[in-house]
Amino acid sequence: MANLFRIAYYLSTALARAYWKPAKLRKFQEKRLRCVVRYAYDNVPFYHRKLREGGVYPADVKCMEDLKKLPIVDKDELRHIPPRARVSMEFDINRLKVVRTGGSTGKPLSIYLTGVEADWRKAIYMRANILCGQKPRDRWVAITAPHHFSDVTVVQRRFGLFEQTCLSVFDEFDKHIDFLCSFKPDVLDGYSGALVLLGREVKKRGIDIIRPKVIFGNADLIDTTSRKFLEEVFAAPYCDQFGCAEVNRTAWNCLRREKYHMDVDSVLFEFVDNDGEKVAIGESGQILYTSLFNFAMPFIRYSVGDLGKPSNEFCSCGVKLPLMQVIEGRKDSVVVLPDGRFLSPRVFTVAMSMFKFYSLIEQFRIVQKKPEFFEIYLKMGESDVNFEIVKRELIANLFRVLNLKETDVSFDVKFVDDIPFSQSGKLVTVVSEVTHAI
């Protein structure tokens, strides 16, 4: 259970750090970096082995320039390691909070957190919202996955402090629009792709009474045209929030929306080329994350395939957190159903994460071949799985979660040995081969 007093303390200190001078912030970062590396080496079998194999020891890491001495780790490597080997030996793994990646890369991973770490994540997350003008009693609506509904505590609801009202991303637009028109949110939040589709429906119906003061988008990376479209439809600034489940939200737009502020007091960023070498300011590079708060399950020089450009500029908003430019994230295809409904690809990846055998899947891809026909490719992580049971249960799960009928669409599940990269070199999870205009 969240500790609201601890969250409040973390939030107040995080807000203060947003305005620290670079030298003071760097001292804070390097102190936590040394603690994380030492702890991972002493308590996490995977990192103990990894560092020893590379001939690196905690005493070798004194400052951020020393990060390059450490090996790069990606999701594939962690996924093939038993949880007990990647989680600190100090903790009973069964008593830790489990967060699962949404599957946007088609490769799910379970992340283990202590209560303290979960509270830190909440505080860092709320900092961006507050710095974008959100107030404690603002009416706040988020269109998100059902498993986030429980994130709001009883105390928050009782006192109405940063109380988030959640709408299921699986519900139809009629339900969303009816609620938003009556509730009149001050803050509209949610999966970016779903917000764009909602905006198109709102515009089509000529509705002009949904007027939040700010829009926060996450999970899907949408283009500049879509961002401007949302701002026009809802007459509010759109602030994108960027990150991954493993290390939380890591960067965000303020109201100036010049670039992205990086939460570098929580997660260190490196931008490297294909050889792992640091790129110059303004050049595109792969982002490596080193979490400064994850101790139960550390992430050190962790790659999820995101790209960005580092900047040496500071934002005119006054926040001193450094800036970056997101170049390209994990971007999927919008799906159109036979009845004309559009669905964000995020809806499908969340539906997959709700499948009871999800942990047995090593990788997946969903391809819409026709409006009414989908192929699902599964690469299983275990060889002794009963494929027929998995196939039957998966199809039933998709019909139930997506609120579809067998007369509407059909799914063909194929079990494969490998799922190749797309032409762009990305692990595209949801692909629509149906031509449509949105």
Side-chain angles (χ1 to χ4, degrees):
M1 176 179 287
N3 184 318
L4 293 185
F5 294 104
R6 185 164 57 209
I7 294 173
Y9 170 73
Y10 286 159
L11 178 57
S12 65
T13 55
L15 286 168
R17 289 195 301 273
Y19 297 95
W20 278 5
K21 293 181 178 180
K24 185 176 182 180
L25 179 58
R26 183 184 177 93
K27 185 176 180 180
F28 174 87
Q29 293 171 304
E30 292 183 341
K31 180 179 179 180
R32 293 193 70 98
L33 171 62
R34 291 191 293 270
C35 289
V36 166
V37 173
R38 166 58 68 183
Y39 186 88
Y41 180 84
D42 290 344
N43 297 282
V44 182
F46 167 72
Y47 278 107
H48 184 85
R49 173 182 58 80
K50 191 81 173 173
L51 267 62
R52 285 182 65 90
E53 287 177 352
V56 184
Y57 299 90
D60 298 327
V61 181
K62 298 182 176 68
C63 60
M64 287 190 284
E65 286 73 19
D66 293 331
L67 273 170
K68 63 184 180 182
K69 299 177 182 178
L70 301 171
I72 295 174
V73 175
D74 62 23
K75 181 182 290 188
D76 269 350
E77 188 170 9
L78 287 183
R79 288 179 64 255
H80 288 94
I81 296 168
R84 183 68 275 174
R86 63 179 190 258
V87 173
S88 168
M89 300 300 291
E90 284 197 332
F91 298 102
D92 178 351
I93 199 169
N94 296 313
R95 301 186 67 177
L96 294 173
K97 177 181 175 64
V98 181
V99 175
R100 290 183 173 84
T101 59
S104 57
T105 60
K107 295 187 174 186
L109 175 71
S110 295
I111 301 101
Y112 297 87
L113 300 166
T114 65
V116 170
E117 292 164 355
D119 290 346
W120 176 279
R121 287 166 65 109
K122 290 178 184 291
I124 294 296
Y125 195 93
M126 281 308 305
R127 175 174 64 183
N129 290 32
I130 291 170
L131 291 175
C132 286
Q134 183 173 349
K135 305 299 182 186
R137 294 191 182 276
D138 278 349
R139 295 183 298 276
W140 180 15
V141 173
I143 299 176
T144 186
H147 64 260
H148 287 301
F149 289 13
S150 60
D151 290 349
V152 181
T153 67
V154 174
V155 176
Q156 283 175 279
R157 295 198 185 282
R158 181 174 300 169
F159 294 101
L161 298 174
F162 294 112
E163 180 186 1
Q164 186 183 65
T165 300
C166 295
L167 303 180
S168 174
V169 72
F170 300 114
D171 288 341
E172 295 187 2
F173 291 130
D174 286 345
K175 186 173 182 179
H176 290 164
I177 291 173
D178 288 346
F179 180 83
L180 293 171
C181 286
S182 61
F183 191 70
K184 295 181 172 58
D186 300 303
V187 177
L188 180 59
D189 195 345
Y191 295 158
S192 305
L195 291 177
V196 171
L197 298 178
L198 171 69
R200 295 188 184 282
E201 192 67 22
V202 167
K203 182 178 181 179
K204 185 168 67 176
R205 299 186 188 190
I207 296 170
D208 61 2
I209 61 173
I210 304 173
R211 289 292 183 262
K213 63 183 183 182
V214 65
I215 306 166
F216 296 123
N218 56 70
D220 305 310
L221 184 64
I222 58 174
D223 58 25
T224 301
T225 300
S226 297
R227 298 179 191 207
K228 290 181 178 178
F229 170 78
L230 284 173
E231 294 186 340
E232 292 169 2
V233 170
F234 296 108
Y238 172 84
C239 296
D240 194 50
Q241 300 188 335
F242 180 79
C244 61
E246 293 91 326
V247 293
N248 199 25
R249 200 267 335 283
T250 60
W252 47 279
N253 289 142
C254 67
L255 293 175
R256 301 295 175 90
R257 302 179 313 284
E258 296 170 359
K259 288 184 172 67
Y260 286 74
H261 289 281
M262 296 183 286
D263 290 316
V264 295
D265 55 340
S266 182
V267 181
L268 297 182
F269 285 67
E270 295 175 82
F271 299 86
V272 301
D273 59 23
N274 291 334
D275 296 322
E277 296 297 322
K278 181 180 177 181
V279 301
I281 295 295
E283 290 187 357
S284 176
Q286 179 186 177
I287 300 172
L288 304 182
Y289 294 122
T290 296
S291 173
L292 299 178
F293 71 90
N294 283 87
F295 287 86
M297 181 175 165
F299 291 94
I300 300 173
R301 304 201 82 200
Y302 180 68
S303 169
V304 292
D306 292 323
L307 301 176
K309 287 183 180 180
S311 172
N312 58 3
E313 301 172 354
F314 283 98
C315 185
S316 60
C317 73
V319 170
K320 301 300 183 184
L321 295 171
L323 298 174
M324 65 168 280
Q325 179 181 346
V326 175
I327 302 303
E328 181 183 354
R330 297 175 300 276
K331 195 172 182 181
D332 299 306
S333 304
V334 170
V335 169
V336 60
L337 297 177
D339 62 6
R341 280 189 296 150
F342 290 101
L343 294 179
S344 162
R346 184 68 175 176
V347 169
F348 285 85
T349 58
V350 172
M352 289 293 294
S353 73
M354 297 170 68
F355 178 41
K356 67 180 181 180
F357 296 128
Y358 183 63
S359 62
L360 303 180
I361 299 173
E362 185 168 316
Q363 189 179 350
F364 69 87
R365 177 173 291 163
I366 300 172
V367 181
Q368 183 184 30
K369 308 295 287 187
K370 300 177 182 178
E372 73 284 356
F373 178 63
F374 294 81
E375 290 181 346
I376 302 175
Y377 297 89
L378 298 182
K379 179 182 178 182
M380 304 303 294
E382 297 184 14
S383 58
D384 58 349
V385 174
N386 187 313
F387 289 171
E388 284 304 314
I389 292 178
V390 171
K391 177 179 179 178
R392 182 176 66 249
E393 293 291 336
L394 175 57
I395 292 174
N397 173 76
L398 292 173
F399 276 120
R400 182 179 66 257
V401 174
L402 298 175
N403 194 26
L404 298 172
K405 299 177 181 177
E406 293 186 21
T407 53
D408 297 332
V409 299
S410 61
F411 298 98
D412 182 19
V413 178
K414 300 176 181 292
F415 296 90
V416 297
D417 295 328
D418 191 34
I419 297 178
F421 286 94
S422 67
Q423 291 183 351
S424 65
K426 292 286 184 179
L427 282 171
V428 180
T429 306
V430 180
V431 179
S432 177
E433 297 180 355
V434 178
T435 302
H436 53 74
I438 58 173

